[in-house]
Amino acid sequence: MGSNRRYADKVDARMARKIEEMNLRPKFESLPAGVVNAETDKPVQAREPVDVEAWVPITAGKVRIQARAVEWNKTAVRIEWIDSEGQAHSAWVFLGSVKRR
């Protein structure tokens, strides 16, 4: 089966744009393990996830999201959420950046 050479340049340009957009997209950041301090302050596991609104650090600042708190300690909360593209995420954030919905 032959290839369609007529549109090859357009397809290549579109793929290059998509790759560039993916690299420019902000990435979610989780607190480092040393800040969470889970080894000395053991996190409490939620019996059922708690609906929360949280400020999550990203490479370009912070963003507020709707999430579910799944565990926490005196310093931080681990939240989980699904983004607009259907991808699942999980991050540790400071306790003060989370509010119950």
Side-chain angles (χ1 to χ4, degrees):
M1 187 166 229
S3 65
N4 189 343
R5 296 174 195 258
R6 180 176 180 185
Y7 298 107
D9 291 339
K10 290 183 180 181
V11 171
D12 289 344
R14 190 176 335 138
M15 288 304 295
R17 271 196 315 274
K18 284 187 177 189
I19 290 170
E20 185 177 321
E21 287 173 5
M22 286 176 57
N23 290 335
L24 293 175
R25 233 177 246 157
K27 296 184 178 28
F28 295 103
E29 298 176 354
S30 186
L31 292 174
V35 173
V36 174
N37 200 20
E39 291 185 17
T40 57
D41 184 12
K42 298 285 184 205
V44 175
Q45 302 286 323
R47 287 187 201 120
E48 291 195 21
V50 178
D51 291 333
V52 297
E53 189 172 82
W55 286 97
V56 180
I58 58 174
T59 52
K62 292 181 185 136
V63 64
R64 187 169 54 186
I65 61 165
Q66 307 293 313
R68 301 183 82 166
V70 293
E71 63 181 322
W72 52 84
N73 64 14
K74 294 175 187 170
T75 308
V77 179
R78 188 169 68 85
I79 58 172
E80 295 178 343
W81 72 98
I82 299 187
D83 67 17
S84 60
E85 296 175 354
Q87 186 173 358
H89 297 275
S90 175
W92 282 96
V93 295
F94 282 114
L95 185 63
S97 67
V98 177
K99 180 175 79 170
R100 280 183 186 250
R101 285 192 275 154

